[in-house]
């Protein structure tokens, strides 16, 4: 696929995902259908992840930045969920996340000090 064609394909995929997102927000997808869509998106995501990893030997700056953006997105969502009481603050996973977050901050500060 040439670059212009791939750009068109990416835009079409983005539009389709936005449409699916709107249907999810409006509760127009059944649980079964939502599971199918999730599986399809997971498969595509894994293929993209593999291509990004292979293209940079599995450890390039683009992949690193992608991972950081994903982590940031998850943390923003979890923060909002906790602030809005949409998540039980007593989940044991949050204790583990608290510890890993502290370790991450310590590692970040140490890396920046080198």
């Amino acid at each position: 696929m040439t670059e212009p064609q791939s750009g068109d394909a990416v835009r079409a995929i983005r539009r389709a995902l936005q449409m699916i997102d709107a249907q999810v927000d409006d509760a127009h997808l059944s649980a079964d259908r939502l599971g199918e869509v999730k599986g399809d998106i997971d498969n595509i995501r894994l293929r993209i992840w593999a291509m990004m990893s292979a293209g940079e030997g599995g450890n390039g700056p683009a992949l690193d930045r992608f991972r950081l953006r994903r982590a940031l997105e998850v943390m923003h969502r979890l923060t909002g969920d906790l602030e809005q009481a949409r998540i039980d603050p007593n989940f044991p996973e949050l204790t583990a996340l608290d510890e890993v977050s502290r370790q991450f901050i310590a590692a970040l500060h140490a890396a920046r000090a080198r």
Side-chain angles (χ1 to χ4, degrees):
M1 186 178 300
T2 66
E3 190 66 32
Q5 289 173 325
S6 69
D8 291 343
V10 168
R11 283 187 289 281
I13 290 168
R14 186 173 290 134
R15 281 191 303 271
L17 289 172
Q18 289 168 343
M19 183 183 71
I20 290 167
D21 188 44
Q23 290 178 356
V24 168
D25 284 345
D26 294 338
H28 284 108
L29 291 177
S30 68
D32 288 343
R33 186 69 179 130
L34 195 55
E36 290 175 25
V37 170
K38 181 197 176 300
D40 292 341
I41 290 171
D42 284 347
N43 287 335
I44 292 169
R45 184 185 58 80
L46 290 173
R47 289 184 63 196
I48 291 169
W49 187 272
M51 288 187 301
M52 288 174 72
S53 295
E56 298 187 0
N59 199 18
L63 183 58
D64 291 340
R65 293 192 67 209
F66 176 79
R67 292 172 52 219
L68 289 168
R69 286 190 301 268
R70 291 290 298 150
L72 185 60
E73 178 184 322
V74 169
M75 293 305 295
H76 276 295
R77 287 183 181 173
L78 287 172
T79 300
D81 289 345
L82 284 167
E83 289 172 347
Q84 299 297 315
R86 291 186 297 251
I87 263 185
D88 182 346
N90 298 307
F91 282 155
E93 293 85 357
L94 288 173
T95 300
L97 183 58
D98 181 50
E99 179 59 30
V100 169
S101 297
R102 292 172 195 273
Q103 292 170 2
F104 173 79
I105 293 300
L108 175 61
H109 290 180
R112 285 183 171 168
R114 289 191 278 252

